[in-house]
Amino acid sequence: MSLIEARDLSVRYGGHTVLSHVDMSIDKGEIVTIVGPNGSGKSTLLRAIIGAVPVASGRLIRDAGVSIGYVPQKLAIDPTLPMTVARFMSLPRRQHPADVAAALEQAGVPDLSTRQMTDLSGGQFQRVLLARALLAKPDLLLLDEATQGLDQPGSAAFYRQIEDVRRRLGCAVLMVSHELHVVMSASDRVICLNGHVCCQGTPEIVASAPEYRALFGTGTQGALALYRHDHNHSHDDGCDHDHGHAHDHAHDTGVIPLHQTTRDKVH
């Protein structure tokens, strides 16, 4: 069974339908990226998954006991409020110092516990948010444009950390990103969203889909070349997925039909 599965999911704000008849699922250990234009419902889908917005119709099915960690798009902290990283990590309930230290280590910032939150750089702040999400020991990690505001090197370093977290913890990752080159290099699957699921599948398959090109054009071909060239390596992670490998998709004939679940697609 999938960790999370949406079946015919719709979400409305007032009289406006934000998401319509969405079918998608996330399996253990895979990295899935949601792409789409502004206002396409990407953040709303993540918020529906964590229960922050109500579902108007359809079903959201969670595997029994699944734990979810969530890294928001941004988080505002009062600059006049003195708060160390360790204190922030223990909100809203106190965490054992060893658990805090382990989470900061996993997020790549082991030495920040005594630093003030307001003194952190953008990249450090996002790593601390990641560490806080990892306290839940998640089976599924949700990232809502977690690199927004970071420069390209900072963004690349953050996503490398995410892949390391996935490999070490075995958790699945569902992330929203505008950085198409990252999508091509880091994802097992891509879901193209524009109020509904336009198409989904492997990065190369989605990038060649007419629905995707209608939204983003054909400018991702260079990113695909980068994807093939720079990621021809293997990960010994014990999973049954090809995480970040260079792929030969000559056997693929098209995008997953919208009525076909992702479990029917052979990777």
Side-chain angles (χ1 to χ4, degrees):
M1 180 178 179
S2 298
L3 295 175
I4 292 284
E5 184 174 359
R7 295 183 184 174
D8 201 30
L9 186 76
S10 295
V11 175
R12 298 185 184 93
Y13 290 145
H16 178 58
T17 299
V18 181
L19 292 173
S20 178
H21 305 295
V22 170
D23 291 313
M24 54 85 70
S25 64
I26 307 298
D27 293 333
K28 182 178 179 180
E30 66 176 344
I31 298 180
V32 179
T33 302
I34 303 171
V35 300
N38 289 334
S40 61
K42 302 184 299 295
S43 294
T44 297
L45 179 56
L46 264 60
R47 288 171 61 80
I49 289 174
I50 64 173
V53 297
V55 172
S57 62
R59 300 177 64 195
L60 190 60
I61 304 166
R62 296 186 185 185
D63 192 14
V66 65
S67 174
I68 298 177
Y70 176 64
V71 181
Q73 191 174 110
K74 56 185 176 181
L75 181 68
I77 292 182
D78 188 336
T80 66
L81 182 66
M83 182 182 299
T84 65
V85 168
R87 174 62 178 149
F88 173 76
M89 293 282 286
S90 285
L91 296 176
R93 57 183 179 274
R94 187 168 184 81
Q95 302 287 340
H96 193 281
D99 292 334
V100 170
L104 290 171
E105 174 76 31
Q106 289 166 350
V109 283
D111 302 321
L112 293 185
S113 61
T114 60
R115 291 277 298 275
Q116 290 291 320
M117 290 293 294
T118 52
D119 292 338
L120 301 180
S121 68
Q124 290 171 331
F125 192 93
Q126 290 307 108
R127 297 291 186 103
V128 171
L129 291 183
L130 172 61
R132 194 165 182 268
L134 294 178
L135 282 172
K137 297 178 174 58
D139 304 299
L140 173 61
L141 182 62
L142 305 182
L143 307 170
D144 188 2
E145 295 196 55
T147 61
Q148 191 175 50
L150 302 186
D151 60 18
Q152 189 170 355
S155 177
F158 185 86
Y159 282 118
R160 282 196 297 271
Q161 192 70 38
I162 292 300
E163 189 165 354
D164 182 64
V165 165
R166 195 273 310 158
R167 185 175 63 250
R168 291 168 61 184
L169 301 185
C171 62
V173 178
L174 177 62
M175 59 183 177
V176 169
S177 177
H178 276 120
E179 298 165 297
L180 299 182
H181 62 287
V182 171
V183 172
M184 300 308 166
S185 64
S187 302
D188 300 311
R189 286 192 294 118
V190 176
I191 298 172
C192 185
L193 195 68
N194 193 18
H196 64 283
V197 176
C198 302
C199 53
Q200 59 179 308
T202 60
E204 290 193 322
I205 292 299
V206 168
S208 65
E211 299 91 343
Y212 177 92
R213 293 192 175 195
L215 292 173
F216 296 106
T218 58
T220 57
Q221 292 308 307
L224 286 171
L226 180 67
Y227 167 70
R228 294 192 195 99
H229 177 73
D230 286 355
H231 295 271
N232 188 16
H233 60 271
S234 62
H235 300 277
D236 183 16
D237 55 25
C239 296
D240 294 328
H241 303 277
D242 290 326
H243 293 287
H245 296 187
H247 300 274
D248 178 4
H249 292 298
H251 62 281
D252 286 310
T253 57
V255 178
I256 299 175
L258 300 189
H259 63 272
Q260 179 181 345
T261 68
T262 53
R263 291 197 305 275
D264 296 327
K265 175 70 173 176
V266 178
H267 292 284

